[in-house]
């Protein structure tokens, strides 16, 4: 696995952790649930910042927020009983296509290769 793929994997990991903390913001009621939410926020942004040091920032942020948004909506539907609506699924698919498209057309040069 080359370095760029490793950094993109970190962006995906940060997006997955974002789903956890966004869900925690809505559903946390106990102190330890809030603690997990806060820890997830810190970890998510730490991982995102580490990846953004090596990849184009605009694309990284768009992918991160796109994954987080789609993941949160799907989690609400699959885990918490939010009504499944065809139009929502269509927009999530459109968002996913945009995220994938951005990743495919972005050429990233790591700082190590520029030195």
């Amino acid at each position: 696995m080359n370095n760029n793929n490793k950094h993109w994997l970190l962006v995906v990991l940060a997006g997955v952790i974002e789903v956890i903390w966004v869900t925690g913001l809505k559903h946390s009621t106990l102190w330890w649930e809030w603690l997990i939410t806060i820890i997830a926020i810190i970890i998510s942004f730490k991982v995102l910042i580490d990846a953004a040091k090596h990849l184009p920032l605009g694309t990284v942020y768009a992918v991160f927020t796109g994954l987080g948004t789609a993941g949160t909506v799907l989690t609400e539907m699959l885990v918490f009983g939010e009504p499944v609506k065809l139009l929502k699924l269509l927009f999530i698919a459109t968002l996913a296509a945009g995220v994938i498209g951005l990743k495919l057309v972005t050429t990233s040069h790591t700082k190590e290769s520029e030195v």
Side-chain angles (χ1 to χ4, degrees):
M1 175 183 298
N2 72 32
N3 253 356
N4 283 339
N5 287 342
K6 175 184 139 192
H7 298 301
W8 281 113
L9 218 52
L10 289 175
V11 174
V12 171
L13 176 62
V16 169
I17 298 170
E18 180 188 18
V19 172
I20 294 168
W21 68 256
V22 170
T23 302
L25 289 176
K26 181 176 181 181
H27 297 285
S28 292
T29 56
L30 303 172
W31 71 268
W32 59 269
E33 293 170 334
W34 282 108
L35 180 63
I36 292 170
T37 300
I38 292 166
I39 291 169
I41 291 170
I42 293 167
I43 292 170
S44 176
F45 280 103
K46 170 67 172 124
V47 172
L48 181 68
I49 290 167
D50 288 347
K53 290 178 183 176
H54 304 280
L55 298 168
L57 182 60
T59 306
V60 166
Y61 186 69
V63 170
F64 171 74
T65 56
L67 290 172
T69 301
T72 301
V73 170
L74 291 173
T75 299
E76 287 293 313
M77 287 180 188
L78 297 172
V79 177
F80 297 103
E82 179 79 19
V84 177
K85 296 182 180 173
L86 188 58
L87 202 52
K88 267 189 185 181
L89 295 176
L90 173 69
F91 289 134
I92 290 172
T94 303
L95 181 63
V99 166
I100 292 167
L102 275 173
K103 164 63 175 92
L104 291 175
V105 300
T106 301
T107 58
S108 49
H109 303 286
T110 59
K111 290 185 179 180
E112 294 89 20
S113 66
E114 292 175 358
V115 176

